[in-house]
Amino acid sequence: MSSVAVLTPESFAEHRSGLKDQEITGCVPEDEAYIPTYLEAFPPLPEKGAPGEKAGEPVSAWGSRIRPIKASVITQVFHVPLEERRYKDNSQFGEGEEAKVCLDIMQRTGAHIELSLAKDQGLSIMVTGKLDSVMKARKEIVARLQTQASATVAIPKEHHRFVIGKNGEKLQELELKTATKIAIPRPDDPSANIRITGTKEGIEKARHEILLISAEQDKRAVERLSLEKAFHPFIAGAHNRLVQELSQETGARISIPPPSLPKDEIVITGEKEAVALALNRIRAIYDDKKRKTTTISVEVKKSQHKYIIGPKGNTLQEILETTGVSVEMPPLDSSSETIILRGEPDKLGPALTQVYAKAKSVMVVEVTAPAWLHRFIIGKKGQNIGRITQQLPRVHIEFTDGEERISLEGPTEEVEQAQTQIQEIIKDLLVRMDYTEVIIDQRFHRHLIGKNGANINRIKEQYKVSVRIPQDSERSGLVRIEGDPKGVQLARRELIEMVQRMENERTKDLIVEQKFHRTIIGQKGEKIKEVRDKFPEVIINFPDPAQKSDIVQLRGPKNEVEKCAKFLQKIIADLIENSFSLSVPIFKQFHKNIIGKGGANIKKIREETNTKIDLPTENSNSEMIVITGKKSNCEAARDRILLESLVKNLVIPSFLKSLKKKSPFSTSIPSTYHIPFVLNLQDDVVEDSMVVDIRHHRHFVCRRGQVLRELAEEYGGVAVSFPRTGTNSQRVTLKGAKDCVEAAKKRIQEIIEDLVRDKCEVKHYRLKFISLHLGLCSGCWDFDHKHLIEKNCGKSVLTLTGQEAPPQENGEVSPDAEFVPRKCDIITISGRAEKCELAKAALLALVPITEDVEVSYELHRYIIGQKGSGIRKMMEEYEVNIWVPQPEKQLDVIKVTGLVANVERAKLGLLERVKELQAEQEDRALRSFKVTMSVDPKFHPKIIGRKGAVISQIRKDHDVSIQFPDKGDEQQVCDLIVISGYERNVEEARQAIQLLVAELQEMVSQEVHLDPRTHARIIGARGKAIRKLMEEFKVDIRFPQPGSDEPDKVTVMGLPETVDNAIDHLLNLEEEYVSSQCRKSHTHFQVSAYQTFCMCLFQAPDMSSAEDFPTFGTGVALKQTSVWGPKKF
């Protein structure tokens, strides 16, 4: 269970009254007697402020603690005047270098940038994004889009490091804040001048900030004087001359914030006397001007303010110099048009005259011109208007879309000249130009334009006019024609005629079976393109194949649609006529005879009968041959196929006998082929013989008679019979059709001629290369003139002899040894003489060669690679053998052995590898640059950093190797640090170490004696407290080691100021810890005394004492009252 108590004002008043009574009775001191009211104790929550609430009104106690939530995205707007723009080509605004630069900056910083061009050709830039991104983007924009100036500011050399800050953070922040580039001289440079590059405004801000930093660090007097910013111009004087004279006279340095900086604090630094003198002089000027000056306000158009300010504010300085009056201008981003003049009353009149004169020095004129003429006045690519702006560069010409006016702005004389020229251009254009507008239904617009703009471009070129057809998104039917008056009328008439034709068009649907659609369209649309070219005004639309529709739509002029429909119907009729199909069943084993060698038979039938013949695939079980075309042509093709099947297959006697036994023919044989015709074919069968040398018989009957089977297939089933082995007969019998027998005899004779042999002599130890390339190790190879291995008859045949190889010396055959051919070196080639020669040449091309490649001995080990991996990879990649000489020979040659093509590739690869290694050697040489620098060993740990963090960062930033001397090596110089790497990187790393050493040298080391009992408390758990302390005060604190002679000595090292602050803090901690220990000891003593008293007070009685336990019947006088109270008897 839980309960909630609600405190109301009434209950609180009762409670408060009760407290008052208690306070009166309890005599509480006055400083503790105050009781807060209800509203004080429980202040109300803040309410949303009213629109008219003033900023100065008090805020409730709750509201003072509520911090406003700041937006993470900010927006900054700044202006770049025309004279400071780096890119001034107005014709390319939005497309030129400025846009490219802004796009690059947006990609690099992540900020969003918007550019706009003011009337004075100045550039307004709005940057949106996170604070860090906006600051970086602003800095880059100023550096890349605004012309850069430079200035120097001199501060003492010892103050430079305060400008840089830790790790350069202060300098980076200053550069981002002022959008400038600040160059600080190196430590070894004697110059004390700091160079600032950027815009004039940024330079002023950066200079002011640097002088402030220097003044803060300067041990001389520094005075800050807050004066109204309106009087700063009087103190600075025109062009800052007065403040410069004051600085020279007094010797003090006076820093006045620039007008763009919202600060009213003037900083004076220098010697005390000089500062006091300058301070009095400035106060005197301020008091004098405040007493004598008065102000007047005038209203001037905002557009004229820039002319009063002048380039870089020079006009304001001139007014101040001539009249002594300060002109206060409202900010550029403000909408206010009020200008305040401050000065002595008698000088305000001349100053006001000058202000009005400057404001009216520029004239603004408007020229009336029809809006449709604007682009013709501008000219192609701005030629006309560009000619005027070149002659009169100070005149700004502005065209407003949709308005019939042109604004001219600039000096009076030049504006008048520009006005005259533009009016002449307008007058000329109105004489020779005209325009007209035509309302055309939006559905006809795309037809007016035509494919790829063909129609509209033709009209434009033919009539020399400009035709504007609105976009579909505009949903407008207004077509505008501009140009020569005659051409405008002709173009208008043609457009109207086109629209009338389109209005008279009609649509017609043709019913065409979907199976004919692809045929009508043709491959890649070639056939339908011919139809469309013939009827260009007709649009032909075929349905989507997925719709399975038979409707083809024609749309266009009525007559053209009718003509096109008749033409397509004729094509469809031809397709229907040619789509007759006929199937012929033929045994599948006879299909090859119908196809013929290389498809010659079937191709001939197709061409002669003008039909399409489809045969089933080899894997199909179907025996049907499908013929498509006209009916008469299909029947003729069927008869040719059946005839071809009979002629090719009925020549075998056994098949002829089977035909005699059949009375009816198969359904695959037409009725025109009867038994008498087939028997006539039998009369053509003859039997013949020829003589073939016995030594060639084996070639024909080997491999299960493969050669004989090929002869029978190729020559109409001719039966060839060779005598049995052992009969010693040379007579070979052939049986079949007369023509086929003759052709087979001729072919057998050619085969016999091909069996002529030739010999090729190759060194035996090279035969393994040939064997590997031919894919065999020994035996016979079939080799044709294309160098391909085929196991077919009639090709060249190679045979290797099986003799032993010649003896080798030292395990190798010397390539230079004299070659004496032996039986083991002979390869036998069988075949025709010309093919044998080709085979011999191909074999010799397979003989490997050896080439020498010149490679420096120093690179051999890199080419070989670790455990030979490099050279193995090259040998596998190029299929060669690479021989590298022994290291002790120190030869600059590497031998490559293999086929000619492979050796050439390997040589190129080897030379490419050599180039890579040489480049690596050069890079190693560049990286081997070394520099030694002497640094006191006491700074080495600081340079290295905790766990090497500092030195690792330097190595990473500059890509160098840094070596410190070994502590245990007595021969090494203990203060030398060696830096190696690229020369430039080494120099940068050396400078970084020198800068670090310079900071360390400025540090001091002090000892402080702290009670050893407090050490553990100061260090904290795992050193957490002492690390936090060192980070807070930027010092290094060292405690003594256990067992040290001086256990209370603590060393603090750092900058003088931080060391003193850290020691004070440590002493305070010691005092606090020691006093707390003392309080604990005193409390412990009090507790111990109290416990002793209680033990005495409540001690148990002694049973052996007669006083505590007296004997009954005996009176005993009481010596003292017992703690147990009076005794009872």
Side-chain angles (χ1 to χ4, degrees), residues 813-883:
V813 179
S814 175
D816 301 328
E818 184 178 355
F819 176 57
V820 179
R822 303 185 182 185
K823 191 173 182 181
C824 61
D825 299 327
I826 296 174
I827 297 176
T828 304
I829 307 171
S830 300
R832 286 191 173 187
E834 61 272 14
K835 291 186 178 181
C836 288
E837 290 296 330
L838 291 173
K840 181 177 179 181
L843 282 172
L844 293 176
L846 295 176
V847 176
I849 63 170
T850 301
E851 292 281 351
D852 293 343
V853 182
E854 188 172 348
V855 179
S856 175
Y857 160 72
E858 298 175 352
L859 301 178
H860 286 188
R861 61 194 183 97
Y862 300 110
I863 292 173
I864 294 172
Q866 188 176 11
K867 297 182 180 180
S869 60
I871 200 165
R872 279 199 303 272
K873 183 179 178 181
M874 294 185 71
M875 291 168 67
E876 291 172 0
E877 182 179 356
Y878 299 112
E879 299 180 358
V880 294
N881 182 38
I882 301 176
W883 177 81

Side-chain angles (χ1 to χ4, degrees), residues 136-295:
K136 289 181 180 178
R138 184 174 183 271
K139 179 183 175 183
E140 288 205 30
I141 288 170
V142 170
R144 298 173 65 178
L145 293 185
Q146 198 165 357
T147 55
Q148 303 292 295
S150 63
T152 58
V153 56
I155 62 173
K157 188 79 173 177
E158 58 271 15
H159 294 173
H160 286 191
R161 61 191 181 90
F162 297 105
V163 179
I164 296 173
K166 185 178 179 182
N167 297 326
E169 292 176 358
K170 183 69 176 177
L171 181 61
Q172 292 176 6
E173 180 185 354
L174 190 57
E175 287 182 339
L176 284 175
K177 185 177 178 181
T178 61
T180 57
K181 177 66 178 175
I182 302 173
I184 298 178
R186 296 179 180 178
D188 54 356
D189 190 347
S191 174
N193 291 334
I194 297 176
R195 178 170 291 278
I196 309 170
T197 305
T199 62
K200 184 179 179 181
E201 180 183 343
I203 290 173
E204 289 178 356
K205 291 182 181 179
R207 183 177 180 276
H208 179 72
E209 293 292 337
I210 291 172
L211 291 176
L212 285 179
I213 293 171
S214 179
E216 289 175 2
Q217 300 301 327
D218 201 339
K219 295 181 180 179
R220 295 179 295 175
V222 177
E223 287 289 344
R224 300 178 184 274
L225 186 60
S226 293
L227 301 176
E228 293 180 43
K229 197 168 182 66
F231 292 94
H232 285 193
F234 298 109
I235 298 170
H239 303 289
N240 291 327
R241 290 173 188 163
L242 184 57
V243 74
Q244 291 173 4
E245 292 174 1
L246 194 59
S247 295
Q248 292 176 359
E249 291 176 7
T250 61
R253 188 162 60 244
I254 303 170
S255 177
I256 300 176
S260 58
L261 198 63
K263 288 185 179 180
D264 59 357
E265 189 178 61
I266 299 175
V267 181
I268 310 169
T269 59
E271 298 293 336
K272 291 184 179 180
E273 296 178 358
V275 169
L277 181 59
L279 182 63
N280 293 332
R281 292 284 299 276
I282 291 173
R283 282 189 180 278
I285 294 171
Y286 171 72
D287 294 338
D288 179 63
K289 291 297 180 182
K290 190 169 185 181
R291 186 178 64 257
K292 292 182 179 180
T293 59
T294 184
T295 60

